[in-house]
Amino acid sequence: MEAGTKAALERKCPIETVIHVLGGKWKPTILWLLLDSTKRFSELEKLIPEVTQKMLAQHLRELESDQLVTRTVYPSVPPKVEYSLSDYGKTLVPVMEIMCKWGETHQRPGLRQPVL
Amino acid sequence: MEAGTKAALERKCPIETVIHVLGGKWKPTILWLLLDSTKRFSELEKLIPEVTQKMLAQHLRELESDQLVTRTVYPSVPPKVEYSLSDYGKTLVPVMEIMCKWGETHQRPGLRQPVL
DNA sequence: TAGGGTACTTACTTGAAAGTAAGCTTTGAG
DNA sequence: CTCAAAGCTTACTTTCAAGTAAGTACCCTA
């Protein structure tokens, strides 16, 4: 660990942890959809038409490695893979809800807008 | 507005709005410090030694244009500029608190860690 | 007249995230 | 024998946030 890193860790705002796990371009949307119900890869593709297979796969892998999402493979042909919000992922739900609420209320013209 | 954008806007998760305003590398830290009290540019520099003047200025300008932060210039020599959390910025406090809490609880080894 | 303090800005470079396009695997159906 | 379906992976390119380093403006003090 290099000099300064420990101090940085101590001062580092825990908010960044949340931003880190939710911070991928499509992650909030994916989690939001999974909150509703378990979904297959192809269902997510259809529900988020702008996302590429690469990004969807990558974000799902990251959410899985963060343990927010559970991946279940059914060894059938053609393959079937289901993604669902884990119990751990569900601990994020109140956080997402309050973020959502603020976002809805305060998303308005005149402020800098996120890039679509 | 190009094709698809409207649909994207409608489906777009409001969580992204929050991530957008808090999403700069130093923004959560800056807001956290301003929540405590009004601070000068040079004070923020000292409190966040890793940030460069460029990034601090840029983030402060963005927070100001998002109306979360108020910038007050005192026309003295040498110049004095104070930054404080606006009333609007204060509406974000409960959101930041719950994010912080989740971050503190769930920041742990074994998960993908944010880049320092 | 030279230097110092405060609060920046500008030009350039680096690196990570995201996008594009194509390929792979397995097996049953035509 | 070939194709389609599902769920990816790989190689390459583009975009954009962040970092580096230097410069600017102002007036005061020594």
Side-chain angles (χ1 to χ4, degrees):
Chain A
M1 207 180 256
E2 54 180 307
T5 304
K6 187 153 175 280
L9 262 171
E10 274 158 14
R11 205 186 357 67
K12 195 172 73 66
C13 185
I15 289 176
E16 287 168 31
T17 305
V18 176
I19 292 182
H20 181 71
V21 297
L22 293 183
K25 179 157 174 188
W26 306 102
K27 286 184 189 176
T29 307
I30 292 169
L31 291 173
W32 207 245
L33 291 168
L34 293 184
L35 177 55
D36 184 45
S37 68
T38 292
K39 299 225 170 358
R40 302 181 60 172
F41 189 90
S42 52
E43 291 182 278
L44 290 170
E45 270 191 275
K46 273 164 215 151
L47 290 165
I48 319 173
E50 306 95 316
V51 82
T52 59
Q53 289 186 320
K54 180 205 155 188
M55 286 314 297
L56 183 55
Q58 184 180 311
H59 280 167
L60 285 168
R61 263 180 278 124
E62 288 176 4
L63 290 169
E64 195 196 356
S65 96
D66 281 333
Q67 300 168 41
L68 301 176
V69 158
T70 307
R71 181 174 183 266
T72 314
V73 183
Y74 298 91
S76 56
V77 171
K80 176 174 172 176
V81 181
E82 282 189 346
Y83 294 92
S84 55
L85 207 56
S86 69
D87 286 344
Y88 180 58
K90 285 174 188 156
T91 65
L92 252 184
V93 171
V95 183
M96 293 197 285
E97 273 170 353
I98 200 170
M99 288 174 76
C100 231
K101 214 166 170 180
W102 194 93
E104 272 165 10
T105 311
H106 299 283
Q107 200 173 44
R108 57 173 202 215
L111 298 187
R112 293 187 318 118
Q113 286 301 310
V115 195
L116 302 172
Chain B
M1 206 180 256
E2 54 180 307
T5 304
K6 187 154 174 282
L9 261 171
E10 274 157 14
R11 203 183 1 64
K12 194 171 75 65
C13 186
I15 289 174
E16 286 168 32
T17 304
V18 177
I19 291 183
H20 182 70
V21 297
L22 294 182
K25 180 158 175 189
W26 307 101
K27 286 185 188 176
T29 308
I30 292 169
L31 290 173
W32 208 245
L33 291 169
L34 292 185
L35 178 54
D36 184 44
S37 68
T38 291
K39 300 226 169 358
R40 301 181 59 173
F41 189 90
S42 54
E43 292 182 277
L44 290 169
E45 270 191 275
K46 272 164 215 151
L47 289 165
I48 319 173
E50 306 95 318
V51 83
T52 60
Q53 289 187 321
K54 179 205 154 188
M55 287 313 298
L56 184 54
Q58 182 180 311
H59 281 168
L60 286 169
R61 264 181 278 124
E62 288 176 3
L63 290 169
E64 195 196 356
S65 95
D66 281 333
Q67 301 169 39
L68 301 176
V69 159
T70 307
R71 180 173 183 267
T72 314
V73 183
Y74 297 92
S76 56
V77 171
K80 176 174 171 174
V81 181
E82 282 189 346
Y83 294 92
S84 56
L85 208 55
S86 69
D87 286 344
Y88 180 58
K90 284 174 189 157
T91 66
L92 252 183
V93 170
V95 182
M96 293 197 286
E97 273 169 352
I98 199 170
M99 288 174 78
C100 231
K101 214 165 169 182
W102 195 92
E104 272 165 10
T105 311
H106 299 285
Q107 200 173 44
R108 57 174 202 214
L111 298 186
R112 293 185 319 118
Q113 284 303 308
V115 195
L116 302 173

